[in-house]
Amino acid sequence: MSAVLVRSFDEWRAAARSLIVRRVPPESVQWISEEGGDLLSGAADELPLAQPAAAPRVPRRLMDMLESAACYRAGDRWAFLYRVLWRWHHGEQEILSMADEDGGRLQQMVKAVHHEIHDMHAYLRFRERPEAEGAPRFVAWFEPAHDVLPQVAQHFAQRMGRISWMIATPEASVLWDGATMHSTGPLMRSAADIDDAGEKLWLTYYRSIFNPARLNADIMHGHIRSRFWKNLPEAAVVPQMVSQAAAGARKVGQLDTVGKRKGATIPIAAEDAQPERQQPSTLDECRRCDLWQNATQAVGGQGARRAKVMLLGEQPGDQEDLAGKPFVGPAGELLDKAMDQAGMDRRKVYITNAVKHFKWEPRGKRRMHKTPGQREVMACHYWLETELETIAPDVIVALGSTALKSILQSGSVSLKDYMGEPFQHEGRWVVATYHPAYALRVPSPEARAEALAAMVGALRTAQRLAEGGPPDAMPA
Ligand code: URA
């Protein structure tokens, strides 16, 4: 048994490479993360080199996955990564498939780490400290579930420029002095260790931006997982503000804003006004285009919050507009049928639309669907981006041409050029297929059956890709 000491991904990579060249199988290696103990017998390079094997050739995608999975806290992480590498090196390509036990675990580790990075970006709060020689200007405390501090630190170094800050966690700390990153062991034991001189300022700021008219306490709590609340400074003032809102501040908040709207109206195109405007914080407030005026409500996405597959439609239809939920009308029924045939569970995917308000024109007593223009699609792309960031799907199924135009942010793409072959866009797979409404309205039964089959094929392809399978061509 060879014992190998590893404290970082780079150390693991060097050791793993060396062990593979020396043909040391996974079961003959003991990976140790902490120095000390009798088992430590030196680096992998010191093992005898009898008949060296070829060095492993690892595609970028797998190496990225291994690097992410190395951040996942599990006692056997280095041993597991070595088994994955060993199997890949020995031609077991199924290691990239979700259906493989190790492959499934690898993907689950990668996903958990990406989510942790996302959450840390979202819920980390810097607090300003009183000026002191050599001390960072901002300090944050966070308790990550995985070892993602280095990646998160890079993100904040880019975002905060030359301002000095420190992020402390129970396991390690990083300090950015405005030019260089310094990593150290743990420097604090809890958020209480931060000099809280800046706290009052932050709470005053939070109170001043809090608009009771916009309050939806369930959404607020639902969006922020409970383990983050205890370290958010605003958590101290939220309960009080929520009860004030319920007791009437909500009404006052609305009156206040509405009351300010007086005087002559100056006509201005929405897109000209856009850069000056604050972004709406909820879909219901969205005025990024005019579609809200004739819609009953905005229809947001629905489904699993950590779904691997996102289905993207065009816009809510008549029934969706009334129900406030996507794909619940006739097109939704056909989509359900296609999902059923593809073996896709609706509860496990996330379903949304490129445009969130129903665009229609009157015909007799009926509201007839009207295809949204690219200007409306682009205005609504803001919300799609928010959903992509939150859900972080691996695959998007573009249901029809509007969905595709939204994903590619171009009004001049044609669905038929993209059907039949999944493609990568901004780090995720996109699978383009017909919109279910098309399959409902084509006149001949054969064409309808063909359209349905294409949709089923696309959904199957999406599932396979989400499970790490190959991007084989699918029936167009
Ligand atoms: N068509 C869509 O594109 N989306 C819906 O939600 C309903 C019909």
Side-chain angles (χ1 to χ4, degrees):
M1 175 75 70
S2 316
V4 179
L5 174 67
V6 163
R7 284 149 305 194
S8 68
F9 179 72
D10 287 342
E11 283 185 7
W12 171 84
R13 187 166 51 186
R17 192 173 186 283
S18 190
L19 289 164
I20 286 201
V21 170
R22 286 164 170 75
R23 302 177 193 276
V24 183
E27 55 281 7
S28 303
V29 189
Q30 178 161 20
W31 296 88
I32 305 168
S33 305
E34 305 252 322
E35 248 166 293
D38 298 337
L39 282 162
L40 188 65
S41 69
D45 280 348
E46 290 161 21
L47 295 169
L49 182 60
Q51 277 183 309
R57 292 170 65 88
V58 184
R60 184 74 243 162
R61 174 163 173 244
L62 177 57
M63 193 47 87
D64 287 347
M65 289 173 80
L66 294 172
E67 189 164 6
S68 293
C71 303
Y72 189 99
R73 282 190 197 147
D76 66 340
R77 74 180 110 171
W78 303 121
F80 173 71
L81 297 190
Y82 185 56
R83 186 163 73 240
V84 170
L85 186 66
W86 177 268
R87 288 187 56 197
W88 172 267
H89 182 65
H90 289 85
E92 294 186 46
Q93 303 211 346
E94 63 272 24
I95 197 67
L96 287 178
S97 158
M98 205 52 191
D100 181 273
E101 195 179 329
D102 287 336
R105 182 176 174 204
L106 178 66
Q107 295 198 26
Q108 182 252 329
M109 287 165 84
V110 169
K111 195 160 188 184
V113 165
H114 287 170
H115 285 150
E116 194 63 21
I117 292 172
H118 170 269
D119 284 342
M120 199 162 163
H121 289 170
Y123 303 126
L124 184 123
R125 296 285 184 271
F126 282 106
R127 301 168 196 191
E128 192 162 9
R129 287 165 35 112
E131 287 214 9
E133 184 66 25
R137 184 155 156 218
F138 290 92
V139 177
W141 168 258
F142 200 86
E143 295 169 31
H146 299 294
D147 296 329
V148 297
L149 182 58
Q151 287 91 327
V152 173
Q154 284 307 330
H155 167 85
F156 284 107
Q158 277 166 11
R159 252 183 56 171
M160 294 176 56
R162 301 182 60 177
I163 296 173
S164 64
W165 49 258
M166 181 177 94
I167 303 175
T169 74
E171 299 77 26
S173 313
V174 287
L175 179 87
W176 171 255
D177 62 13
T180 312
M181 194 83 78
H182 309 269
S183 305
T184 67
L187 293 177
M188 288 171 27
R189 281 154 305 150
S190 76
D193 287 349
I194 302 179
D195 179 348
D196 67 357
E199 203 80 324
K200 276 205 190 85
L201 235 174
W202 164 257
L203 292 184
T204 311
Y205 166 76
Y206 190 73
R207 274 202 192 91
S208 74
I209 58 156
F210 181 85
N211 178 354
R214 291 178 183 172
L215 179 67
N216 182 331
D218 285 347
I219 289 180
M220 189 163 76
H221 284 96
H223 278 196
I224 304 183
R225 281 193 268 139
S226 51
R227 78 183 162 97
F228 300 123
W229 272 108
K230 71 178 164 128
N231 290 323
L232 292 178
E234 61 266 38
V237 292
V238 163
Q240 184 200 6
M241 291 189 301
V242 168
S243 60
Q244 281 173 356
R250 188 187 310 241
K251 225 161 111 197
V252 175
Q254 276 167 346
L255 289 176
D256 191 36
T257 16
V258 174
K260 283 189 186 130
R261 290 196 212 136
K262 58 181 179 201
T265 308
I266 302 168
I268 181 166
E271 66 276 20
D272 295 338
Q274 221 91 80
E276 304 296 325
R277 285 208 237 144
Q278 227 185 356
Q279 298 301 348
S281 62
T282 71
L283 245 186
D284 277 327
E285 289 171 8
C286 186
R287 304 292 182 260
R288 295 173 61 84
C289 75
D290 289 339
L291 293 186
W292 65 276
Q293 291 177 356
N294 296 327
T296 310
Q297 59 193 313
V299 180
Q302 206 183 31
R305 273 186 55 78
R306 298 297 193 211
K308 289 182 175 180
V309 177
M310 174 184 277
L311 305 188
L312 184 65
E314 181 192 77
Q315 62 166 356
D318 183 69
Q319 296 197 28
E320 288 79 13
D321 168 79
L322 298 172
K325 295 179 183 152
F327 282 105
V328 292
E333 261 173 45
L334 191 73
L335 183 61
D336 283 344
K337 185 171 168 187
M339 281 197 274
D340 227 32
Q341 291 186 14
M344 183 179 268
D345 184 345
R346 183 165 177 149
R347 290 163 308 177
K348 297 208 173 127
V349 299
Y350 183 85
I351 303 184
T352 191
N353 285 300
V355 171
K356 313 296 190 210
H357 283 110
F358 178 34
K359 182 173 181 180
W360 57 277
E361 58 190 357
R363 194 163 315 152
K365 281 200 292 193
R366 298 180 60 202
R367 303 190 297 173
M368 296 306 291
H369 162 274
K370 207 164 172 218
T371 304
Q374 188 63 11
R375 201 149 62 90
E376 288 143 349
V377 170
M378 289 314 296
C380 224
H381 193 264
Y382 169 80
W383 295 109
L384 178 62
E385 268 176 25
T386 310
E387 288 173 298
L388 286 171
E389 206 169 289
T390 313
I391 308 296
D394 298 323
V395 188
I396 313 176
V397 179
L399 297 166
S401 154
T402 304
L404 187 65
K405 287 173 180 169
S406 172
I407 294 166
L408 299 178
Q409 298 185 63
S410 161
S412 58
V413 295
S414 158
L415 183 63
K416 65 177 181 341
D417 293 339
Y418 289 85
M419 281 191 42
E421 187 115 38
F423 61 96
Q424 289 248 316
H425 180 71
E426 294 183 345
R428 47 177 65 91
W429 286 106
V430 178
V431 181
T433 188
Y434 295 118
H435 189 282
Y438 166 81
L440 284 175
R441 82 173 174 254
V442 274
S444 82
E446 294 77 26
R448 280 202 293 276
E450 241 172 61
L452 177 62
M455 282 168 50
V456 172
L459 296 176
R460 285 202 183 114
T461 300
Q463 292 220 111
R464 194 178 59 242
L465 290 168
E467 286 161 6
D472 304 341
M474 55 193 182

